[in-house]
Amino acid sequence: MNYGVYDPFKIDFDSLDELADRISQVLQCPVTIEDANHRLLAYSTHDERTDQARISTIIGRRVPEKVINQLWKEGTIPALLSTKEPIRVKNMAEIGLGHRVAISIWKQEEVLGFIWAIEIDRSLTDQDLALLKKAAQSAKNKLLQLRTRKNRKEERSQEFFWKLLTGHLHIHEEIMNHFQSLQITPASTYGLLVFQFQQNITNKEEQNISYSLKTNQRLKIMLSTIDCNQLILLISADSIQNPFEELSEFAQLFIHKMKERYRITGITPVFSSIYNDYSTITKAYNETLEVLSIKHQFPDETKNIYTYQKLGIYQFFHILLEKRKHEQYENYSLRMLREYDEKHNSNLIETLDIFLSKDTNINDAAKELNVHANTLNYRLKRIAEIGGVDFKDPNQKMTLYIDLKLQKYQRM
């Protein structure tokens, strides 16, 4: 038989399932076809020969996340994303993956999906691999049709999401009708998770982000969109015992994968409170923007704060600042210390700020200031004398802390 001419897949298949069965028949092995995000599209039937990874994929309708992660670590998926040739995948017993051959389905320079052929009784020959390349060509048009339908739905989903974020949809019945038309089941409780990148997200980065989100099996993402340098996600909080902890772990895992797989760094995650009313999504969105703004203004003080719930006194800065302006209030102690600093070229204001920010811990504050503890104690005595500060008075310490931060907030 001349494999250079013969193409057993050059016929019009009614479905990808028919194509998967045909590939299985020609290559005499079990076959699965996935989209670019490893969701199962079709698999060959009438074949009991398989392995645990394939069984889990068929049951869950997508490749298990542990399998995807291992294939990244072993270099299989990076290879599939860079070549149009078949790739041999070695046995990985720890994740239930047997020997198989994989090939990407390409449209020009874009990967649309993958075909996996499991080598159960024999290894595929060079002729078999040539046939597998023809099968990938045959699958391309079917996957393009699926992608077109998927893109239309994603555009409708993003339009709906932006209407929620901007408050253009606020009637409960209307919101539920939109969810239903998009075939999305709304969670009874939800939160917004926002990732801020250092620069505007490129088209290529958007594809990588989409892949990472759609292969995630940790949290349910109902809606997502990208706005310049921000990735915005609507997350279901149903069946999550500790939502803030789960959101934090998911965020750190996402950031790790973006760095490890795509060399993207400097991503800042923040998330809103947990809500049950979808008409308040605008409020949740504003919370995330407020956290990002505060983190930008106070990076050191808020480096471990990612949620609006933990902003503490920072939640009220805009209100307090307006009150201070209206009353033309000035903190006497800070004025006296500032005048002393200007006259003697000292840094008592900075020392006080760091001392209060470190919860009046002498050792931590001295380390931050890079001075000896005795030196810090001397400065604190001078602060007490010059500014009339009583460090045993918690009310005065709190007022000084707030006014120091408000001054910094006002300057930015």
Side-chain angles (χ1 to χ4, degrees):
M1 184 179 295
N2 187 345
Y3 286 93
V5 176
Y6 174 64
D7 186 350
F9 310 110
K10 203 169 186 179
I11 57 177
D12 188 17
F13 293 97
D14 290 334
S15 67
L16 280 173
D17 290 309
E18 279 190 17
L19 175 59
D21 280 333
R22 179 61 171 160
I23 299 170
S24 176
Q25 179 186 6
V26 171
L27 300 183
Q28 300 176 38
C29 65
V31 166
T32 56
I33 302 176
E34 306 163 6
D35 69 9
N37 299 311
H38 306 293
R39 293 186 181 273
L40 182 67
L41 299 177
Y43 62 95
S44 58
T45 55
H46 311 299
D47 199 329
E48 296 180 356
R49 302 168 301 162
T50 190
D51 58 24
Q52 187 57 49
R54 184 171 186 265
I55 292 172
S56 298
T57 298
I58 292 172
I59 292 174
R61 303 301 299 176
R62 58 182 178 180
V63 180
E65 192 168 8
K66 67 177 182 179
V67 175
I68 296 172
N69 291 338
Q70 190 64 30
L71 290 172
W72 269 96
K73 291 176 184 176
E74 295 291 335
T76 300
I77 293 177
L80 286 169
L81 296 176
S82 62
T83 181
K84 298 181 181 180
E85 297 299 317
I87 299 291
R88 289 196 178 276
V89 183
K90 67 179 183 180
N91 177 67
M92 302 180 201
E94 66 275 16
I95 56 171
L97 194 83
H99 292 288
R100 65 222 311 117
V101 173
I103 190 169
S104 304
I105 302 165
W106 292 78
K107 178 187 179 291
Q108 296 177 343
E109 300 305 312
E110 179 185 359
V111 174
L112 302 175
F114 310 95
I115 300 175
W116 300 79
I118 306 178
E119 297 176 309
I120 298 291
D121 299 324
R122 68 184 187 91
S123 296
L124 298 185
T125 65
D126 289 343
Q127 291 180 332
D128 293 329
L129 299 183
L131 288 169
L132 190 58
K133 290 178 68 173
K134 294 182 182 295
Q137 280 294 317
S138 181
K140 179 178 70 174
N141 289 336
K142 291 293 182 188
L143 265 64
L144 281 171
Q145 292 171 13
L146 290 173
R147 191 185 67 170
T148 300
R149 291 197 294 269
K150 182 187 73 172
N151 287 347
R152 288 199 201 103
K153 182 180 178 181
E154 286 183 352
E155 286 175 4
R156 290 172 55 219
S157 297
Q158 290 190 17
E159 182 182 358
F160 170 47
F161 196 14
W162 273 114
K163 285 181 178 179
L164 288 174
L165 292 170
T166 55
H168 286 83
L169 277 179
H170 50 80
I171 299 173
H172 175 76
E173 185 177 352
E174 191 176 356
I175 292 171
M176 291 302 108
N177 286 339
H178 274 78
F179 273 118
Q180 185 176 7
S181 69
L182 291 167
Q183 298 180 321
I184 299 172
T185 303
S188 59
T189 55
Y190 70 88
L192 278 185
L193 174 55
V194 176
F195 292 96
Q196 182 161 285
F197 290 63
Q198 289 187 322
Q199 298 176 332
N200 286 353
I201 297 168
T202 65
N203 290 335
K204 182 60 178 176
E205 288 170 344
E206 187 172 344
Q207 292 176 13
N208 295 335
I209 289 168
S210 176
Y211 174 88
S212 294
L213 294 179
K214 290 177 180 177
T215 54
N216 139 73
Q217 297 172 27
R218 190 181 186 108
L219 291 178
K220 179 183 176 183
I221 301 171
M222 293 181 284
L223 293 168
S224 66
T225 191
I226 287 174
D227 181 29
C228 297
N229 67 332
Q230 292 181 356
L231 166 65
I232 309 166
L233 307 177
L234 180 63
I235 306 285
S236 167
D238 290 354
S239 305
I240 300 178
Q241 195 167 19
N242 299 302
F244 295 131
E245 184 179 326
E246 284 290 330
L247 285 168
S248 180
E249 289 180 5
F250 171 81
Q252 296 306 319
L253 182 61
F254 174 83
I255 291 170
H256 172 73
K257 287 183 178 178
M258 295 304 291
K259 178 181 179 181
E260 184 181 57
R261 295 176 179 177
Y262 310 115
R263 305 291 186 268
I264 299 175
T265 58
I267 303 173
T268 302
V270 297
F271 36 94
S272 70
S273 305
I274 303 300
Y275 291 95
N276 55 20
D277 182 357
Y278 284 92
S279 66
T280 60
I281 281 188
T282 302
K283 180 182 178 184
Y285 183 41
N286 288 335
E287 283 183 0
T288 63
L289 297 181
E290 179 69 13
V291 179
L292 285 170
S293 175
I294 292 294
K295 286 180 74 66
H296 175 70
Q297 292 168 314
F298 301 95
D300 295 331
E301 296 92 332
T302 62
K303 62 182 177 182
N304 295 319
I305 294 177
Y306 301 104
T307 174
Y308 189 78
Q309 291 288 318
K310 292 188 177 181
L311 272 183
I313 193 66
Y314 293 102
Q315 292 181 22
F316 313 109
F317 270 14
H318 62 292
I319 300 172
L320 293 171
L321 190 59
E322 285 302 313
K323 180 177 173 61
R324 290 289 194 247
K325 288 180 179 178
H326 178 72
E327 297 175 348
Q328 297 183 329
Y329 167 88
E330 182 179 16
N331 190 300
Y332 172 80
S333 296
L334 294 182
R335 178 162 66 85
M336 298 301 294
L337 292 170
R338 186 169 292 103
E339 289 175 356
Y340 184 89
D341 278 347
E342 290 172 356
K343 184 176 180 179
H344 297 88
N345 195 28
S346 57
N347 62 343
L348 296 185
I349 285 284
E350 179 193 15
T351 298
L352 177 61
D353 187 11
I354 290 175
F355 178 64
L356 294 175
S357 296
K358 294 298 180 180
D359 198 22
T360 66
N361 185 297
I362 293 287
N363 292 328
D364 289 348
K367 185 178 179 180
E368 180 73 15
L369 289 162
N370 197 28
V371 298
H372 193 275
N374 291 339
T375 303
L376 176 56
N377 277 316
Y378 171 76
R379 289 186 189 175
L380 293 175
K381 287 179 182 178
R382 296 294 293 145
I383 289 171
E385 293 168 0
I386 296 165
V389 176
D390 181 2
F391 284 111
K392 293 182 179 179
D393 182 352
N395 184 57
Q396 189 180 15
K397 286 191 293 185
M398 178 58 71
T399 302
L400 286 167
Y401 176 82
I402 291 172
D403 284 339
L404 281 165
K405 299 306 177 188
L406 282 176
Q407 289 176 6
K408 185 176 180 181
Y409 183 72
Q410 190 174 10
R411 290 196 299 268
M412 291 182 174

